[in-house]
Structure formats: C-alpha cells, structure tokens
Amino acid sequence: MFKGILIEKDDQYKASLQTIDESTLPEGDVSVAVSHSTLNYKDALAITGKAPVVRHFPMIPGIDLAGVVESSSSGRFKPGDKVLLNGFGVGETHCGGLAQKAVLKSDWLIPLPEAFSPAQAMAIGTAGYTAMLCVLALEKHGVTPDKGEILVTGANGGVGSFAIALLAKLGYTVVASTGRVNEADYLKKLGANDIIDRQSLSEPGKPLGKERWAGAVDSVGSHTLANVCAGIKYGGVAAACGLAQGMDFPATVAPFILRGVTLAGIDSVMRPLEDRIEAWDRLAALINHDMLSEISVEIGLSDVVSTAGELLKGNVRGRVVVDVNR
C-alpha cells in the first residue's frame, strides 16, 4: 500500500488523496520509489476533469516523476539508480508520478543528471525540459542572439519562466508577454528585457504585422500564436509547445510563404530518448540552481487537489514541485 492521488469515475468524476493498493499499478519492467513529482497544467486539467486528459480509470495523475529504482527486469537500470521521467502518456494512460510508487517501462526513463537532486529536477520538470526543446529548435534553425528579440508568451507559466531564463543565459534579448504585468519584476529577474501585455497578441489580428521578433517560444496557441507568426522577421522561427488559449490556429500562410517563417512544433511527450538526454544535458549546463527557488514552490500530496484548481485559475506562478512523502 502507498499514498497517492487517485482519479476515479463512477457516478461522478473525483480526484482525492488515498491509500492505494499496488494492484492498481499497471505492468512495467521497472518499479520506482517516487520522491518528487510536479503539478503541471495538464495534471490540473486531469485532476479537475476540465478536459478529457485521463483515458483510463482509476488513474494516478502526474506527468513527471523522479525517484529511485526499487526493482528492475531491464538491463538499463538496477536497484538504487536515480531516474526521472517526463511524458510518454504517464498520468493519462498509465499511472503517473503523484504517488509514492510507480511501475514504468524502462524505455521511458533516463538517469537523473548528477547536477540535480530529485527536487531540483522536478522544479525543472516537463516545463523546463519543454522550454529547453524550444530553445534547441531556435538554435538548430539558426536563430542566434545577434538576430534580434525573442518573444516568450505565457511568460509567468512554467514553460515561459524557464524559456526566459534559458534564453537570457544564452545571451538573447527576451521580450515577455503576460496577462500579469504586475509580475514584471519577477520576469525581469529571470532575464526578460521588456514586458508586453498579452492583450496585444490575444485578439484577432492581421495576416502580416510589423517584423519584430527573430524568434518566439509560444505556449498559448490560438490567436496569440497567429499574431506571433505574423510578427516574426524574415527567416525567423516560432517554437509552438502549448495551447493555453486554444487548440485552433486562425492564421494565414502569409508569414510562411512571404517571409520564410518556420513554425516548429515542439512535442515533449513522445520525444526520442536521445533528444531527452540532449535537453537534460543542456539544462544541467545552463540552469542556475538559485533560480529554481525563485521559479518554484513545493507542496505535499495533501495540497495537490486544491492547488490544481488554483493553477487553472491562473493564480499559480512558475513551477509546483510535489514532495510525495509529505
């Protein structure tokens, strides 16, 4: 038996902290004693039932986890190894990290980088890992710091916060778009050079706007992403990784065929192992550990359900780390 958040759907949809029997866990070749997980936007949707994230019931949510291998029938890992996981449908189709134990497929796990403790790795989590994938996409498409400003939308969220910090560390000039302009000091502390109100991007706009951004990291989607693409300079790149405003993309082909703009889709869920290791190696080299305390807050399992509701209301800044043993 172990403690965890369990989502059930009988007469009604319900998520609660429970003592869970190990028989609830699905099959896998590695058993992990989880020490830390996270509460992401997708987790909050799953816990509250605001979107059909969960595919099987009962389900333990949590798309991230870090912990220690308890047992393994895989040649990749042995008992005592420190590991982490991001994505692969965990918390959606396979029981996830918001519990004290997880049984997983070894192909989903990577070794915990020596630079990070489990709590620090989860302060980064899928948000930081996704932000790093976005930055790598900009680099691989030739967007260097000398090319001009980089726009980061959803700047107060986890992906946005990390994108700002990583880009600033690499020497880029970063403009942060946010609906909470009162958080300007926080964003500038992370490395943003300028702050704009998200309203300037969130309404229907023109097919082409003034060329301003050399590149962008967008976690918002919908009209925001359409306006971002309309304002990208010739040959620039928009890395799209989220849909906080919506899944639609009300744009035209004009930026892509008249300005050679690239729209780079960033998937963090099913990313190949080599890409994951590259991203985490870069994170280990770039992340300022002091920044992690600025960008994250830690809670216990008993706080997860209530915090999920606050996260969806936009009342949570940065990252939420979950110590599953408190």
Side-chain angles (χ1 to χ4, degrees):
M1 305 291 282
F2 58 94
K3 290 184 178 180
I5 304 296
L6 194 67
I7 301 174
E8 299 168 291
K9 187 180 181 182
D10 296 316
D11 295 336
Q12 60 181 1
Y13 192 102
K14 181 180 71 173
S16 60
L17 175 60
Q18 297 188 29
T19 299
I20 303 170
D21 191 278
E22 288 192 16
S23 63
T24 304
L25 296 174
E27 293 183 357
D29 57 355
V30 178
S31 176
V32 176
V34 180
S35 64
H36 293 80
S37 185
T38 61
L39 183 63
N40 293 283
Y41 189 82
K42 184 181 286 186
D43 299 320
L45 290 173
I47 289 166
T48 60
K50 297 292 186 184
V53 171
V54 177
R55 311 294 174 83
H56 302 295
F57 298 90
M59 177 60 62
I60 297 170
I63 65 173
D64 293 325
L65 65 85
V68 177
V69 174
E70 287 187 320
S71 62
S72 172
S73 59
S74 163
R76 292 189 62 222
F77 299 102
K78 63 183 185 302
D81 286 348
K82 295 179 180 180
V83 293
L84 68 83
L85 179 144
N86 310 111
F88 283 114
V90 168
E92 302 173 66
T93 60
H94 189 105
C95 286
L98 285 167
Q100 294 172 323
K101 186 168 185 174
V103 176
L104 306 157
K105 294 182 180 180
S106 57
D107 290 345
W108 298 345
L109 299 166
I110 67 170
L112 178 72
E114 292 184 4
F116 303 123
S117 69
Q120 289 170 331
M122 291 296 95
I124 297 167
T126 286
Y129 153 65
T130 301
M132 190 71 250
L133 291 174
C134 290
V135 174
L136 287 168
L138 296 182
E139 290 180 339
K140 289 173 181 179
H141 283 87
V143 181
T144 51
D146 61 296
K147 296 291 179 66
E149 296 176 316
I150 307 297
L151 175 67
V152 176
T153 67
N156 274 292
V159 173
S161 295
F162 273 103
I164 291 168
L166 292 168
L167 288 163
K169 185 72 177 287
L170 289 165
Y172 290 89
T173 301
V174 183
V175 178
S177 167
T178 179
R180 289 178 272 170
V181 292
N182 58 311
E183 297 277 13
D185 289 344
Y186 164 73
L187 297 172
K188 288 182 176 179
K189 192 170 185 178
L190 291 178
N193 299 89
D194 193 13
I195 316 294
I196 63 173
D197 193 315
R198 71 181 180 194
Q199 284 297 118
S200 63
L201 296 167
S202 62
E203 300 298 327
K206 298 177 180 179
L208 284 176
K210 181 181 178 181
E211 293 183 62
R212 177 171 180 183
W213 327 109
V217 174
D218 176 68
S219 59
V220 179
S222 191
H223 290 291
T224 296
L225 179 57
N227 289 322
V228 167
C229 291
I232 296 280
K233 291 181 177 181
Y234 190 93
V237 180
C241 64
L243 42 73
Q245 187 180 5
M247 192 180 291
D248 59 323
F249 184 48
T252 74
V253 297
F256 312 112
I257 63 174
L258 298 180
R259 290 182 180 166
V261 169
T262 296
L263 179 57
I266 305 300
D267 165 57
S268 62
V269 177
M270 303 304 295
R271 203 77 178 200
L273 190 64
E274 58 269 23
D275 290 355
R276 292 169 181 269
I277 292 172
E278 178 186 14
W280 277 96
D281 284 347
R282 288 292 300 279
L283 286 164
L286 291 171
I287 288 292
N288 178 340
H289 288 200
D290 292 337
M291 183 199 76
L292 294 179
S293 59
E294 289 285 339
I295 217 167
S296 65
V297 62
E298 186 173 289
I299 63 173
L301 275 177
S302 60
D303 302 312
V304 166
V305 174
S306 60
T307 306
E310 292 302 305
L311 193 155
L312 292 185
K313 293 175 185 175
N315 295 333
V316 177
R317 183 179 78 183
R319 298 283 297 144
V320 180
V321 178
V322 183
D323 181 342
V324 301
N325 294 305
R326 65 170 251 238

